[in-house]
Amino acid sequence: MVSEKLLHIVADNFYLSHDNKLRESSYHLLDMANDNQDISEGIFNIFELEKASHAIRSYYLEAKCAIVYLLEKTKNGHRLTINGFRALAQVINTPWIIDNDVLKILLNVSNNGQIIPIDLVGKLTRRFNPCSEQYDFVRIFENLVKNNQDIPSQLSSKLTKALENPSIRDQVLSIFLLEGQKDKKLSAKIIDKILDKFFSIKNSFIMEQYLSVMCSVIEKKDYFATDRKSLLDRILRRNSGKKIIARIQTALVHALKTDNQDVIRKAINGLKILVSRHKAVLENNSIDILLSLAASEICNETIKQDIGLLLDASQLEKIRNMLMSLPT
């Protein structure tokens, strides 16, 4: 009789060991233990998950049933074993496999916070068509970012193309928004799309997420800098950056018109960054909105003080620009 402690160690091999022989011998040991003694429900579930993975990889007639089994188990929070992922990787492009169920399994495990192996991400990337309505693909890719997995460059390129697809644009934009919140550098095109979307958002919590990304962009003065030596490329990149900075200022002012203190506070912080780091000068309508806010009951004393500091800094920058423009 094999002890419960040893059975747990054996079962862990299905998740932790990349030694094929060790996982195979662990499977046979659990198989014998299951035949000859009572094993705990937890160990039995892991054994059945591994058994299903073997069925998918080896016994084609049983593969569909095994996939349905994995679908149900992962839906209830169970993790796939290493061989489980390998089985799905082996059959994901096979015509007779129900692709939708395979995708649902991967969606379930990523919802559960489990890391999807990079080779499987590559297969998904190749199958992803940015011009189609492949919602499960996009949900899986979003979970990659949530689970702190890197988005490969090929997938990033396809997702950028998907921003032109109205049916999945908002979902894809959420992926880039998450990346921006994790300080991943976004292209000018993606930031433009984020700004396009921002002006139609009504939900204050979502507005805060967008504002966080905008602030992360303007906090880095050289965000749009390039290592390329081409003078034309540097000029184009610089001009593109200036246009985006101007659009961000417009977006921040737009956010001031809400009645949510957290949104207003983030917008003011963003404007302070623009003035201090990018030498931006607030336009008259922006100043009017800030003065109106300072006199309203929406803002607390802290926000009113921030508005005062922002206006002072902006006026100083305006005076500095005027002095610099005077003939010497």
Side-chain angles (χ1 to χ4, degrees), residues 47-95:
F47 172 66
E48 287 295 304
L49 287 167
E50 185 69 4
K51 188 176 180 180
S53 303
H54 277 246
I56 294 170
R57 298 184 74 180
S58 306
Y59 309 110
Y60 299 119
L61 294 177
E62 299 176 20
K64 289 185 179 180
C65 292
I67 286 173
V68 172
Y69 175 80
L70 290 182
L71 179 61
E72 185 61 29
K73 284 296 183 180
T74 54
K75 184 179 179 180
N76 292 323
H78 290 270
R79 297 186 304 142
L80 278 188
T81 64
I82 291 173
N83 280 337
F85 281 119
R86 291 185 178 182
L88 296 185
Q90 178 178 305
V91 301
I92 195 168
N93 293 322
T94 307

Side-chain angles (χ1 to χ4, degrees), residues 176-182 186 191 194 208-218 223 248:
F176 288 118
L177 198 67
L178 284 169
E179 286 210 295
Q181 289 175 304
K182 293 177 181 288
L186 305 177
I191 296 170
I194 287 173
E208 283 188 69
Q209 293 178 319
Y210 275 71
L211 287 169
S212 294
V213 174
M214 292 181 211
C215 289
S216 72
V217 170
I218 58 179
Y223 192 93
I248 288 177

Side-chain angles (χ1 to χ4, degrees), residues 88-131:
L88 296 185
Q90 178 178 305
V91 301
I92 195 168
N93 293 322
T94 307
W96 50 264
I97 289 295
I98 305 171
D99 285 347
N100 189 54
D101 283 349
V102 173
L103 288 175
K104 291 292 185 186
I105 292 170
L106 293 174
L107 179 58
N108 288 342
V109 298
S110 62
N111 282 337
N112 297 337
Q114 195 170 3
I115 301 299
I116 297 178
I118 190 64
D119 65 313
L120 200 44
V121 174
K123 286 181 179 289
L124 290 171
T125 299
R126 288 190 289 275
R127 290 287 300 274
F128 175 56
N129 181 355
C131 299

Side-chain angles (χ1 to χ4, degrees), residues 61-322:
L61 294 177
E62 299 176 20
K64 289 185 179 180
C65 292
I67 286 173
V68 172
Y69 175 80
L70 290 182
L71 179 61
E72 185 61 29
K73 284 296 183 180
T74 54
K75 184 179 179 180
N76 292 323
H78 290 270
R79 297 186 304 142
L80 278 188
T81 64
I82 291 173
N83 280 337
F85 281 119
R86 291 185 178 182
L88 296 185
Q90 178 178 305
V91 301
I92 195 168
N93 293 322
T94 307
W96 50 264
I97 289 295
I98 305 171
D99 285 347
N100 189 54
D101 283 349
V102 173
L103 288 175
K104 291 292 185 186
I105 292 170
L106 293 174
L107 179 58
N108 288 342
V109 298
S110 62
N111 282 337
N112 297 337
Q114 195 170 3
I115 301 299
I116 297 178
I118 190 64
D119 65 313
L120 200 44
V121 174
K123 286 181 179 289
L124 290 171
T125 299
R126 288 190 289 275
R127 290 287 300 274
F128 175 56
N129 181 355
C131 299
S132 299
E133 298 179 6
Q134 295 180 319
Y135 299 109
D136 283 343
F137 276 91
V138 179
R139 292 188 187 103
I140 292 168
F141 298 149
E142 183 176 1
N143 283 340
L144 294 181
V145 182
K146 287 180 178 179
N147 295 334
N148 296 316
Q149 288 191 248
D150 290 331
I151 295 290
S153 58
Q154 185 183 1
L155 175 54
S156 184
S157 296
K158 281 195 167 186
L159 289 171
T160 302
K161 290 180 182 177
L163 290 173
E164 305 303 327
N165 183 347
S167 62
I168 58 174
R169 180 187 297 140
D170 287 353
Q171 273 187 290
V172 172
L173 204 55
S174 295
I175 296 174
F176 288 118
L177 198 67
L178 284 169
E179 286 210 295
Q181 289 175 304
K182 293 177 181 288
D183 284 334
K184 298 287 185 181
K185 193 167 184 178
L186 305 177
S187 70
K189 180 178 180 179
I190 293 168
I191 296 170
D192 262 332
K193 294 292 184 182
I194 287 173
L195 290 167
D196 289 342
K197 178 65 179 177
F198 179 74
F199 291 97
S200 64
I201 297 171
K202 304 299 181 185
N203 184 289
S204 297
F205 177 72
I206 297 176
M207 285 187 80
E208 283 188 69
Q209 293 178 319
Y210 275 71
L211 287 169
S212 294
V213 174
M214 292 181 211
C215 289
S216 72
V217 170
I218 58 179
E219 277 175 355
K220 301 178 180 67
K221 194 172 181 181
D222 59 346
Y223 192 93
F224 298 102
T226 176
D227 294 330
R228 297 179 185 177
K229 296 181 179 180
S230 165
L231 177 60
L232 177 60
D233 186 82
R234 291 202 300 271
I235 292 172
L236 291 174
R237 188 69 68 92
R238 192 181 303 120
N239 289 339
S240 175
K242 287 179 179 178
K243 288 178 182 177
I244 288 176
I245 295 299
R247 289 198 69 197
I248 288 177
Q249 181 172 346
T250 303
L252 293 172
V253 172
H254 170 77
L256 294 176
K257 300 173 185 176
T258 66
D259 57 359
N260 183 281
Q261 283 194 1
D262 292 329
V263 171
I264 292 170
R265 188 181 295 109
K266 275 189 177 291
I268 291 172
N269 286 338
L271 289 169
K272 286 164 69 176
I273 294 170
L274 283 179
V275 170
S276 62
R277 298 198 181 184
H278 297 273
K279 309 305 178 186
V281 176
L282 297 180
E283 297 177 356
N284 289 336
N285 72 311
S286 303
I287 294 172
D288 290 341
I289 292 171
L290 287 166
L291 289 172
S292 176
L293 269 176
S296 73
E297 296 180 356
I298 296 174
C299 302
N300 57 29
E301 286 303 314
T302 302
I303 295 178
K304 290 178 180 180
Q305 288 175 10
D306 284 340
I307 290 174
L309 292 172
L310 173 58
L311 290 172
D312 288 344
S314 178
Q315 287 301 107
L316 286 173
E317 189 58 36
K318 186 175 182 179
I319 293 170
R320 189 184 75 85
N321 287 345
M322 289 173 61

